[in-house]
Amino acid sequence: MINNEFEFHPVGQGLFYTGIIGDFVMVYDVGTLSSQTYIKNEIDLFSQKLSINHHKKIIDVLFLSHYDEDHISGIEYLLNSGFHINKIIAPLITPLIELLWLSSTPFRHNSSIYRSLQSILQEYTDNFIQVEATQESDYADIQIPSDDEDRDNLEDISSNNLRSNRLANVATMRLSDFWQFTFFAQAIQQSWVRNWLLSILTYLNNQHGLKNTNTYQSMDNDELANEIYTYVNQLYTSTKPRANINHLIAAIRKITKTLRLKSSQRNLVSLILYHRPITVNSSSRFKSRLSKNRKLFLYKNNAQLLTGDSVFKDYKQLTPLPTWHIFKKILPRFKNVDLMLLPHHGSKYGWHDELLAYSNRFVVSYGLGNSFSHPNALVINKIISDPSYFSGRLIQVNQKPNFGLLIYVV
């Protein structure tokens, strides 16, 4: 039986992270924008590993950082390969997120990827835990559970809507008495969102006379998104020709293109996950060891921090967003982080120089030849030019064979 083994799989421009803790199996994201062959091959290899080590093809918890294609494209293949998922934990699906699904064009690999996701999630109604994202307005009220606070068992929770602020903004769960999982979702306030929503509503008003456009100015972004989403749903359920909804979707996509919104700018939420053994020797911290064959050995007082596609800086001014201030407030509670996933595949918008002080090593998952300039040269230079840099502090994972990263907690 495998104990405490984790892996960043080589899937190219995306992320597929797995963990085996005794009988417990977890996954954090499973997708890529690169060839789907990469994600399928890695799912097959993971399946073989479980079979060889007498594990059933059961994923106890699938964490989804967010719903972009490069983080979810492999879910359907995962299920078609015979895997059963006991529980899904992911950010709350809001009307705004669903509108972004409509605006995502073209679907690079699978024209039905989001419809497939929706149907899959509907099957998991009782075991799909949606985490409401922290907002800028939550900053002053954020409370972080202490280390000795009672924690729910991760395998027992089954709420349909786990509100982060109901659990002091940051949810801390345990796996029996030997592993801790702490997670929260962050809403990313993007400056383009309001302009995008108002443009769509202006179109709808011109075409269908929904409301006086002045009414929209007093609404917040969630209310604007809900207004559009309600209308879209009415079209779907009406007896009007299917062409009407197709025409609306085409219009939304055209508006998105007119505003020159890059897909890399559309991240609106990300689930951040910190995990480590519960029994640790807090009086000392052993350095991890990276072997030449890309195996990282962590000691039992080392933690891992997975950041999804978190965005901490504004796309225009590169100034810190509220998401950074919230993250910074929580960071000190993430003790003994030895390995941190670079946010957003090493994007400069997900980087802050202060991250250097919070993790011993960094790993970046990206696709060779990607069009997003991931990982960004500025981020790489910040890490390798830091006085505390050492060989192996930055570990790159891409689609090259055997270019993943195996992690053992010993």
Side-chain angles (χ1 to χ4, degrees), residues 297-315:
F297 295 86
L298 302 184
Y299 294 92
K300 285 193 176 179
N301 47 349
N302 294 142
Q304 299 175 59
L305 181 58
L306 308 176
T307 56
D309 273 11
S310 296
V311 174
F312 297 132
K313 289 184 179 178
D314 180 81
Y315 281 99

Side-chain angles (χ1 to χ4, degrees), residues 205-221:
N205 187 66
N206 291 339
Q207 294 293 316
H208 307 283
L210 295 185
K211 279 186 180 179
N212 187 313
T213 52
N214 292 331
T215 306
Y216 301 132
Q217 299 300 327
S218 61
M219 294 182 176
D220 62 27
N221 287 354

Side-chain angles (χ1 to χ4, degrees), residues 94-216:
T94 63
L96 181 55
I97 287 175
E98 295 219 39
L99 286 176
L100 281 172
W101 289 353
L102 288 178
S103 71
S104 297
T105 182
F107 294 132
R108 277 170 276 269
H109 304 300
N110 184 349
S111 61
S112 64
I113 185 170
Y114 290 108
R115 288 192 294 274
S116 296
L117 175 66
Q118 287 173 314
S119 63
I120 289 168
L121 295 180
Q122 286 172 0
E123 293 178 16
Y124 283 84
T125 301
D126 294 333
N127 292 302
F128 174 34
I129 298 169
Q130 300 186 57
V131 183
E132 187 172 350
T134 57
Q135 306 282 343
E136 182 179 359
S137 57
D138 297 324
Y139 179 78
D141 298 323
I142 288 178
Q143 299 174 20
I144 304 159
S146 62
D147 289 341
D148 57 356
E149 186 172 323
D150 287 340
R151 306 180 182 104
D152 293 325
N153 193 316
L154 184 63
E155 295 178 295
D156 294 337
I157 57 173
S158 59
S159 170
N160 288 337
N161 182 16
L162 178 67
R163 292 174 58 92
S164 293
N165 55 11
R166 195 178 72 197
L167 288 171
N169 295 111
V170 181
T172 296
M173 305 285 173
R174 60 179 171 81
L175 175 61
S176 297
D177 292 320
F178 55 90
W179 213 271
Q180 172 186 323
F181 295 87
T182 299
F183 56 89
F184 68 102
Q186 275 200 302
I188 303 167
Q189 301 295 333
Q190 301 278 28
S191 57
W192 58 263
V193 171
R194 188 167 187 81
N195 188 25
W196 181 66
L197 293 172
L198 287 172
S199 297
I200 295 172
L201 282 166
T202 298
Y203 165 81
L204 291 176
N205 187 66
N206 291 339
Q207 294 293 316
H208 307 283
L210 295 185
K211 279 186 180 179
N212 187 313
T213 52
N214 292 331
T215 306
Y216 301 132

Side-chain angles (χ1 to χ4, degrees), residues 45-78:
L45 289 172
F46 184 57
S47 175
Q48 293 169 21
K49 176 183 286 189
L50 291 179
S51 298
I52 291 171
N53 290 277
H54 311 293
H55 280 272
K56 295 180 180 178
K57 294 174 69 171
I58 295 176
I59 296 169
D60 293 281
V61 179
L62 167 62
F63 292 96
L64 296 178
S65 65
H66 61 301
Y67 302 101
D68 281 359
E69 182 181 346
D70 56 331
H71 293 255
I72 65 169
S73 71
I75 296 178
E76 189 171 19
Y77 185 78
L78 193 74

